[in-house]
């Protein structure tokens, strides 16, 4: 973790730095850390670090343990199942609404993020690719007009990364993932809300099934997941 420049937006910067350290594995799942030590590593006081950790606890990334510190949590297969169920329930209607409203500039934003994904795919830069992927989804969710939804979905993505789960070069390629996003963007730009929402649903379902299947195989756990209940129409 980097030391924090106190002239910047301190609270947000600390939160982003801690979240990034957890997602990257620098702060190890299952390990206890003291607020004092984390503050020292960041070069800031304990109060804003504790406030950031409270937000991370609300996201399910850490747990406070009385008189011991905070423990970084490991995402379980059941957690992954719930995360993708929530994303299906939230992002599919958000895509429908964003497309229906023809939010000004949305198609251009998606095109920009797709260009970044294409560059990252050519350069085999998974980190840059996933950062652009995240911005792509965020743009649609924000365009739905519900900022709380956008923030919550963004926090759900951290639960997947916390487990270190990725389908890249395991179940599918960056080019495969890019194609799924291109299909969504084309339908959003064409103003087809029902089809755009269905493309988002298929993208999320594909990601969920592949990640849960490969994580199940690695852990030896037998998991059967059905997301049929997240579709509210027959």
């Amino acid at each position: 973790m980097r030391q924090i420049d106190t002239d910047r937006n301190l609270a947000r910067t600390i939160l982003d730095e801690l979240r990034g350290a957890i997602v990257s594995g620098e702060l190890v799942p299952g390990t206890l850390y003291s607020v004092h030590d984390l503050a020292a590593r960041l070069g800031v006081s304990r109060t804003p670090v504790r406030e950031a950790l409270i937000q991370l606890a609300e996201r399910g990334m850490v747990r406070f343990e009385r008189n011991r510190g905070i423990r970084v949590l490991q995402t379980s297969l059941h957690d992954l199942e719930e995360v993708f169920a929530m994303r299906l329930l939230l992002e599919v209607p958000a895509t429908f609404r964003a497309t229906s409203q023809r939010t000004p500039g949305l198609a251009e934003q998606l095109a920009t993020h797709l260009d970044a994904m294409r560059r990252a795919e050519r350069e085999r830069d998974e980190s840059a690719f996933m950062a652009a992927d995240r911005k792509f989804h965020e743009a649609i969710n924000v365009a739905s007009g519900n900022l709380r939804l956008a923030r919550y979905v963004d926090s759900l993505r951290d639960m997947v990364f916390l487990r270190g789960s990725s389908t890249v070069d395991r179940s599918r390629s960056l080019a495969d993932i890019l194609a799924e996003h291109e299909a969504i963007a084309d339908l959003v730009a064409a103003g087809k809300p029902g089809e755009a929402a269905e493309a988002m649903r298929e993208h999320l379902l594909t990601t969920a099934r592949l990640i849960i299947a490969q994580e199940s195989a690695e852990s030896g756990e037998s998991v059967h997941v059905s997301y049929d209940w997240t579709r509210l129409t027959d």
Side-chain angles (χ1 to χ4, degrees), residues 90-103 106 140-147 149 188 192-194 196-197:
L90 294 173
E91 286 194 77
V92 174
T95 303
F96 183 95
R97 190 178 189 204
T99 307
S100 299
Q101 295 182 151
R102 290 187 172 273
T103 305
L106 176 57
I140 292 175
N141 293 329
V142 169
S144 75
N146 192 320
L147 295 182
L149 180 151
V188 170
K192 298 180 178 180

Side-chain angles (χ1 to χ4, degrees), residues 27-65:
L27 296 180
V28 182
T31 303
L32 273 169
Y33 296 93
S34 74
V35 175
H36 178 273
D37 288 344
L38 291 174
R41 289 170 67 173
L42 293 168
V44 298
S45 65
R46 283 176 287 181
T47 298
V49 171
R50 178 174 290 278
E51 291 171 354
L53 290 169
I54 289 172
Q55 293 187 57
L56 293 174
E58 291 171 350
R59 296 185 182 194
M61 300 182 75
V62 303
R63 180 179 66 231
F64 281 90
E65 298 193 0

